[in-house]
Amino acid sequence: MTEVVVSGLTKKYGAKAALHGLDVRIRSGEFVTLLGPSGCGKTTTLRCLAGLEKPTAGIVTMGDRVVVDTERRVFVPPEKRHIGMVFQSYALWPHLTVAENVGYPLRVGGMRGVERRERIAEVLDAVGLAEYGDRSATALSGGQQQRVALARALAARPGIIFYDEPLSNLDTKLRFTMGRQVRSLHDENGMTSVYVTHDQEEAITLSDRIIVMNHGLIEQDGTPEDLYDRPSSAYVADFMGFQNILTGVVVEAGARHADVEVAEGLILRAQVAELVRMGDTVTVAFRASHVHVEPAGSTGVGLFRGEVVHSTFVGSSVDLVVHARGASVQARIERSELERLGLGHPSAGDTLEFRVRASGALVVKGREGQRQAYATEAVNMVA
């Protein structure tokens, strides 16, 4: 296991900066995911750590070795960093067999004869390909090729493995299976793992810690639970699946909650992480599952009457887009909740009472002009 410490990591392409002085510590044995959309800097960060890109500035330490120090002109090439790498495109050599692909880093490292053959057999068995050693690597299915790439990364027992969106070319079922295997092998082998993905569900299920990136900066760094339940900004909330992100004005402020008017007469109560004052313009984020149908005649904060404009059956629940007082709200209502209230499947044109519970709504850092953008996006996502 190897600790990774990054200080002031900067990468520029000409005049354009892709990374802006990142500071990160990845503990030994940790599984850390860099999460974000295309262009956020996650892959550039990974490539700088792996030695596939030369940083413009910064220091990178792996264990007790400084592998990058731009001021001292230190740059250790990737093949000397004792790392493994798993690529999105598998990157297997088509003219080599499965065993030869897996054994390549061992051969380069000087391992010979029986020891190398035993190690190849060991890692192929670990990824479920014990009988495939003599086959051409490119004759295998996509999932099998990715397992060959994983075995090759593990072969030399590296202290760190870097994963560059390794599951994105696989179908949904195979992604789930391979994800479990990646995590299982991480736990069994005790290495440090740095994983890049744009898939928040993948990040949540695999990681000890998630670093959300935005335009070459770290937007939030925390456990999967932290990011899922307590995103710090509209950007993170949106990326972590908060379908409703509305801008409003604080009309009542407390130590833990604030009442926010997000449309004329529509007031939501939300948790606050930082002090807000009456009159402040803030952003409220909540998931579609935090919206509930209420019996007619209910009262209290967070209650609103809305018209269903879209209704989609999704099995055990119903996805709705609701218009209320100029605001557009996405709701995911459990069928059992509708049955308890004696209601059927809501249809477009129906008017119902809804409530956003304060336990699920958060005041987060916002972005100017986002209200209409997110409202439009909400309609498009469900439509």
Side-chain angles (χ1 to χ4, degrees):
M1 295 190 288
T2 305
E3 182 178 65
V4 181
V5 180
V6 180
S7 178
L9 186 65
T10 300
K11 177 62 180 177
K12 292 183 179 179
Y13 296 98
K16 184 178 179 181
L19 301 176
H20 303 271
L22 300 187
D23 295 324
V24 179
R25 180 183 295 271
I26 299 169
R27 293 182 291 274
S28 181
E30 207 174 15
F31 194 118
V32 172
T33 294
L34 306 178
L35 176 66
S38 297
C40 71
K42 60 187 186 298
T43 297
T44 301
T45 302
L46 186 86
R47 290 178 64 84
C48 286
L49 297 183
L52 302 176
E53 297 272 3
K54 285 189 175 182
T56 307
I59 299 171
V60 179
T61 302
M62 295 182 174
D64 57 0
R65 298 177 66 206
V66 175
V67 296
V68 173
D69 186 334
T70 54
E71 286 193 4
R72 294 168 51 205
R73 296 187 179 181
V74 174
F75 181 82
V76 177
E79 65 273 16
K80 294 184 179 180
R81 294 191 183 192
H82 194 51
I83 62 171
M85 187 86 189
V86 182
F87 296 93
Q88 177 182 353
S89 59
Y90 317 140
L92 302 179
W93 289 285
H95 61 288
L96 300 181
T97 66
V98 167
E100 288 168 340
N101 266 278
V102 172
Y104 180 81
L106 302 177
R107 181 164 62 85
V108 170
M111 188 181 291
R112 296 287 183 265
V114 173
E115 184 183 7
R116 188 170 77 197
R117 289 194 297 272
E118 288 178 348
R119 180 57 183 162
I120 292 169
E122 181 183 344
V123 292
L124 284 177
D125 183 60
V127 299
L129 294 176
E131 307 300 319
Y132 290 79
D134 294 331
R135 296 197 187 184
S136 169
T138 53
L140 304 181
S141 69
Q144 289 170 330
Q145 288 188 53
Q146 194 57 287
R147 281 189 277 164
V148 174
L150 184 55
R152 182 179 59 190
L154 290 167
R157 294 187 175 89
I160 309 167
I161 292 191
F162 295 105
Y163 298 87
D164 187 8
E165 304 213 42
L167 309 184
S168 60
N169 289 338
L170 307 178
D171 62 45
T172 302
K173 183 177 180 181
L174 199 51
R175 277 204 306 272
F176 176 77
T177 303
M178 281 298 300
R180 289 182 63 181
Q181 186 163 40
V182 165
R183 180 67 212 211
S184 176
L185 289 168
H186 165 88
D187 293 337
E188 290 170 10
N189 289 273
M191 79 280 285
T192 303
S193 296
V194 183
Y195 192 98
V196 161
T197 184
H198 62 274
D199 187 313
Q200 54 99 354
E201 185 175 346
E202 205 172 279
I204 287 170
T205 56
L206 292 178
S207 312
D208 298 318
R209 205 168 105 227
I210 300 171
I211 297 172
V212 180
M213 298 193 65
N214 182 11
H215 292 102
L217 295 166
I218 294 173
E219 185 83 13
Q220 189 171 352
D221 179 349
T223 66
E225 292 82 3
D226 286 338
L227 271 71
Y228 188 87
D229 293 331
R230 295 175 293 278
S232 62
S233 67
Y235 175 89
V236 177
D238 181 41
F239 210 80
M240 297 305 292
F242 278 66
Q243 295 87 353
N244 298 289
I245 302 176
L246 303 173
T247 300
V249 177
V250 176
V251 295
E252 193 70 41
R256 296 186 178 180
H257 296 91
D259 291 347
V260 182
E261 188 172 31
V262 297
E264 187 176 354
L266 175 50
I267 298 173
L268 303 180
R269 179 162 291 170
Q271 301 174 61
V272 294
E274 299 177 359
L275 181 66
V276 297
R277 296 179 176 84
M278 288 182 61
D280 286 353
T281 298
V282 299
T283 300
V284 177
F286 54 97
R287 296 182 185 276
S289 59
H290 294 147
V291 183
H292 299 273
V293 176
E294 294 286 310
S298 298
T299 59
V301 176
L303 186 77
F304 62 93
R305 188 170 181 81
E307 180 187 353
V308 176
V309 294
H310 274 290
S311 178
T312 306
F313 174 73
V314 289
S316 63
S317 58
V318 180
D319 281 355
L320 307 176
V321 175
V322 179
H323 282 178
R325 299 179 179 271
S328 181
V329 175
Q330 283 195 73
R332 170 161 287 188
I333 309 299
E334 295 295 322
R335 292 172 67 191
S336 59
E337 182 176 324
L338 294 169
E339 289 167 2
R340 282 196 302 272
L341 296 171
L343 300 174
H345 184 148
S347 302
D350 289 351
T351 300
L352 297 169
E353 301 280 350
F354 297 90
R355 189 189 305 274
V356 178
R357 294 182 181 166
S359 59
L362 307 170
V363 171
V364 296
K365 296 174 187 175
R367 293 183 293 199
E368 185 179 352
Q370 70 189 3
R371 181 200 288 196
Q372 185 56 46
Y374 280 114
T376 303
E377 191 174 293
V379 174
N380 292 339
M381 284 173 64
V382 177

